Amino acid sequence: MAPTTALTTDQANARLHELTVIDVRTPGEYASGHLPGAHNIPLDHLDTALPALKTAADRGDLLMVCASGARSATACRRLADHGITAATLTGGTTAWTQLGHDTHRPAGTRAPWAMDRQVRLAAGSLVLTGLLTGQRWNAARWLSAGVAGGLVFSALTNTCGMAKILAKLPHNQPKATDLDATLASLAD
């Protein structure tokens, strides 16, 4: 098993020119702003990318990035299980932008919403729908109760089923050619 490490935002910024940065967020999150030079390989596509990541790691250090550091730490552990050494960015892109470091967005793209914002909109809409529909049909209030229970479970387990569902929506999916191009650039 390969070792995993963590870099602070200042450490990563100082070494950015020598790191291969892999952003494991959804394409929507990535498009909303990412570290300069970062490649987008969503966490659920990491296994497909293992050969290219191995090649990239053989050339130099990998830095895994997400919004908070949780998904990138998971990615580092999965890579370590395959003998690939990688570091995670402590605090993720949230800490990166809070410290005023530069972020990039693809030219000509509309900034999609971050996954946590999509979850808040979906959860709030479902709760409101359940409450309003419950005015005429009492059983509809169970929708609100179900979402509330899901949010409590999400907080207690630090998982988010709604985010997993929303990540499957078309605007959160990488285009096959984008992922293929990313993997090809890492393998070169």
Side-chain angles (χ1 to χ4, degrees), residues 39-75:
H39 301 277
N40 184 219
I41 301 175
L43 187 58
D44 57 346
H45 293 275
L46 199 63
D47 291 337
T48 303
L50 285 173
L53 291 170
K54 174 80 170 123
T55 301
D58 289 343
R59 285 194 310 265
D61 294 336
L62 293 180
L63 176 65
M64 309 306 283
V65 178
C66 68
S68 67
R71 285 177 283 179
S72 59
T74 298

Side-chain angles (χ1 to χ4, degrees), residues 126-184:
L126 289 170
V127 168
L128 188 58
T129 298
L131 290 174
L132 292 176
T133 306
Q135 297 291 324
R136 295 216 183 251
W137 185 49
N138 283 337
R141 292 184 182 166
W142 283 105
L143 175 63
S144 299
V147 171
L151 291 171
V152 169
F153 180 79
S154 174
L156 292 174
T157 62
N158 198 26
T159 62
C160 187
M162 189 176 290
K164 289 180 181 177
I165 292 168
L166 291 172
K168 295 182 185 304
L169 293 175
H171 66 276
N172 286 325
Q173 291 297 311
K175 296 178 180 91
T177 55
D178 290 347
L179 185 58
D180 291 342
T182 298
L183 297 179

